[in-house]
Amino acid sequence: MKNKVLFIVTVVVVFLLGILASSIVNRKNEAKFKYVPQVEINENEPRNEEWGKNFPAEYQSFLQTEQGDFASFQGGNAMRDMLEEDTRLAVLWAGYGFSKDYNQGRGHQYAVEDLHNSLRTGGPKGKGDGPMPATCWTCKSPDVPRLMNEIGIAEFYSGKWADKGEEVVNPIGCADCHDSKTMKLTITRPALVEAFEAMGKDINKATHQEMRSLVCAQCHVEYYFNKNTPGKEGVPYLTFPWKNGMSVEAMEKYYDDMNFKDWTHKLSKAPMLKAQHPGYETYLTGVHADRGVSCADCHMPYKSEGGQKFTDHHIQSPLNNIANSCQVCHREEAEKLRANVYDRQQKAAESRLRLEDALVRMHVEAKKCWDLGATEEQMKDILMDIRHAQWRWDYAAAAHGASFHSPVETGRVLSSGLDKATEGRVKLARLLAELGHNKPVEMPDLSSKEKAQEYIGLDMEKLTKEKEEFKENLLPKWLEAAEKREATYGSQKVSVAN
């Protein structure tokens, strides 16, 4: 009886080991097959679907950036009208494109489409028309490095947004971050390389782990269009203001020293700075960066399918993928981790909204001073207080993940912004009294986006009509021309020996 039991156990063990061995062999074969190239990727290939023929798992996960069903406390991938959610923004950006239209950014698949639809890009009728420069395409497509290689960097930045419309059609993808021959991570946007050089650093010495953040830093950073770049005068040359450092004060000093402004505020006439999205700069001041965690570790974690382990190219909020993003390191329950993030964000939002209220009042009170006959000399220091206070607000707010990535630094920046706003409002109260106004200035009705936009003088009906005409008349011509051009690219299959 004992021998019979032993025999049965031996048979079962051998059977299970056989299944395990078979599974290992199958997984190894799957892993080998994964890296068998199907097509040759040309140096300037912008079409993501071509890259996907060699890397189907990564490409299929990338296609999931089309999803738009997740909204977090202050982010996600769902379409959200931020001007409706926070009507103060229209006043804060009066005279600037963001007061017309500001939606929560969706997945990378929508990079080009959302730019077509945005009221900020206007309704151009042809080349040389419209409010925005060609530089606005820089972070939206792998067609950008293709064009830069074909016509030159400064030549790409030159001209209007509409001039490159039929050339830039593929959404953010493979060629933005990968070398077509080696597939290694690579920097394709010269502004990042030039910013490192300005700081006395060599980006070529970056480690692979650093590169997993630097490819994101090509776009998720603060930048401006410098029309005084030596040898490229007049061209809106994309530049990162990192020469003095990446802190809010260092970049502010950089801009102040050169008397740069993004626009003049329509109400207060203050020389304003618009923070773009300094996500990389604020991330560097947080604990995750200090521990060596890269952007990709959380936003593009590793994923396994069968025998294949690969980087998940469904770039998204980690809060929509907590198991693979957060719980790899943190053993707490998912809801606990989500609650931790929201708690930090909500506390930062309290300070952010208080600063927004103060800034709205500053712009409106400054306008009142001008209306009462204030001189430029009387307004000089007040306008700088407005500039510096709003720069701090925007630096903390525009980097949507800052309140989680770096809650301590975000709190510091917002509190310093509140200090600047308080100082400015004291000066405004004194000047208003000096000009004979000794009562509170009446604030506008900001109960809706429409009322806020009307207050700052926007003709939204006209802007919307211009955009619709653009989408009906010019945009189809762009897409048709692009389709004809790309039909000439072809696809060269790789011959595989048996």
Side-chain angles (χ1 to χ4, degrees), residues 40-65:
E40 182 178 340
I41 305 297
N42 296 323
E43 182 181 1
N44 291 326
E45 177 58 74
R47 297 170 297 174
N48 298 314
E49 60 269 24
E50 283 299 303
W51 293 66
K53 293 175 181 177
N54 287 351
F55 300 93
E58 288 87 346
Y59 179 63
Q60 289 301 315
S61 65
F62 160 77
L63 291 179
Q64 293 178 336
T65 61

Side-chain angles (χ1 to χ4, degrees), residues 165-169 476-489:
E166 66 185 46
E167 293 282 355
V168 184
V169 293
K477 295 178 181 178
W478 286 1
L479 300 180
E480 182 182 357
E483 185 176 0
K484 289 180 179 178
R485 183 188 68 254
E486 292 194 339
T488 67
Y489 290 174

Side-chain angles (χ1 to χ4, degrees), residues 69-82:
D69 55 359
F70 176 69
S72 65
F73 174 69
Q74 61 180 38
N77 56 25
M79 175 63 82
R80 295 165 62 178
D81 188 332
M82 305 308 290

Side-chain angles (χ1 to χ4, degrees), residues 73-361:
F73 174 69
Q74 61 180 38
N77 56 25
M79 175 63 82
R80 295 165 62 178
D81 188 332
M82 305 308 290
L83 295 179
E84 280 188 355
E85 293 189 16
D86 186 355
T87 59
R88 304 172 188 83
L89 301 179
V91 174
L92 297 182
W93 291 322
Y96 196 67
F98 276 78
S99 63
K100 304 173 187 176
D101 178 24
Y102 176 43
N103 295 324
Q104 160 67 35
R106 297 192 289 170
H108 282 178
Q109 278 281 75
Y110 296 101
V112 173
E113 179 183 332
D114 284 352
L115 201 58
H116 288 159
N117 292 331
S118 175
L119 293 178
R120 298 198 300 275
T121 54
K125 300 183 185 303
K127 290 186 176 182
D129 192 23
M132 307 304 285
T135 319
C136 290
W137 285 115
T138 303
C139 285
K140 304 302 181 183
S141 170
D143 281 305
V144 171
R146 173 184 68 81
L147 278 171
M148 287 181 170
N149 289 334
E150 289 175 359
I151 66 175
I153 298 168
E155 288 74 14
F156 169 80
Y157 293 144
S158 299
K160 290 287 189 175
W161 178 74
D163 297 349
K164 308 295 193 302
E166 66 185 46
E167 293 282 355
V168 184
V169 293
N170 293 284
I172 296 168
C174 313
D176 288 309
C177 304
H178 292 279
D179 181 277
S180 62
K181 301 303 178 187
T182 66
M183 300 303 145
K184 289 183 177 180
L185 294 174
T186 188
I187 304 302
T188 58
R189 301 311 195 271
L192 181 61
V193 178
E194 292 160 357
F196 265 64
E197 291 173 351
M199 294 187 293
K201 297 181 180 180
D202 184 356
I203 202 168
N204 294 312
K205 295 181 179 179
T207 66
H208 175 69
Q209 182 67 354
E210 289 171 333
M211 286 294 291
R212 298 180 82 229
S213 292
L214 286 173
V215 289
C216 305
Q218 297 183 97
C219 296
H220 292 266
V221 290
E222 162 61 7
Y223 60 83
Y224 74 106
F225 300 162
N226 185 0
K227 293 186 177 181
N228 297 307
T229 302
K232 306 173 183 68
E233 288 80 2
V235 175
Y237 200 91
L238 186 69
T239 306
F240 300 171
W242 293 355
K243 186 175 181 180
N244 300 330
M246 297 184 191
S247 70
V248 69
E249 293 88 359
M251 289 195 276
E252 177 184 85
K253 184 178 186 305
Y254 175 92
Y255 286 135
D256 285 354
D257 287 347
M258 63 188 296
N259 294 316
F260 175 82
K261 63 179 178 180
D262 282 296
W263 90 104
T264 299
H265 197 276
K266 188 171 184 179
L267 303 179
S268 66
K269 300 183 182 179
M272 302 302 296
L273 297 173
K274 174 69 187 81
Q276 307 306 327
H277 24 62
Y280 179 69
E281 296 95 330
T282 50
Y283 144 81
L284 287 178
T285 64
V287 66
H288 285 90
D290 188 59
R291 299 295 186 271
V293 178
S294 73
C295 302
D297 287 324
C298 301
H299 294 274
M300 303 174 65
Y302 289 113
K303 184 178 183 179
S304 293
E305 289 182 356
Q308 302 176 10
K309 180 181 178 182
F310 61 95
T311 298
D312 187 352
H313 281 62
H314 182 192
I315 306 163
Q316 61 175 329
S317 166
L319 295 179
N320 199 31
N321 189 21
I322 289 177
N324 290 340
S325 295
C326 311
Q327 290 179 317
V328 172
C329 297
H330 302 286
R331 300 305 179 188
E332 291 80 7
E333 294 293 327
E335 286 308 311
K336 173 67 173 176
L337 293 169
R338 184 177 288 108
N340 289 157
V341 174
Y342 287 174
D343 180 58
R344 286 160 176 75
Q345 292 177 333
Q346 287 165 349
K347 287 175 179 176
E350 291 176 14
S351 297
R352 174 174 57 82
L353 295 176
R354 283 201 302 272
L355 180 50
E356 285 183 20
D357 284 331
L359 287 166
V360 168
R361 291 183 177 279

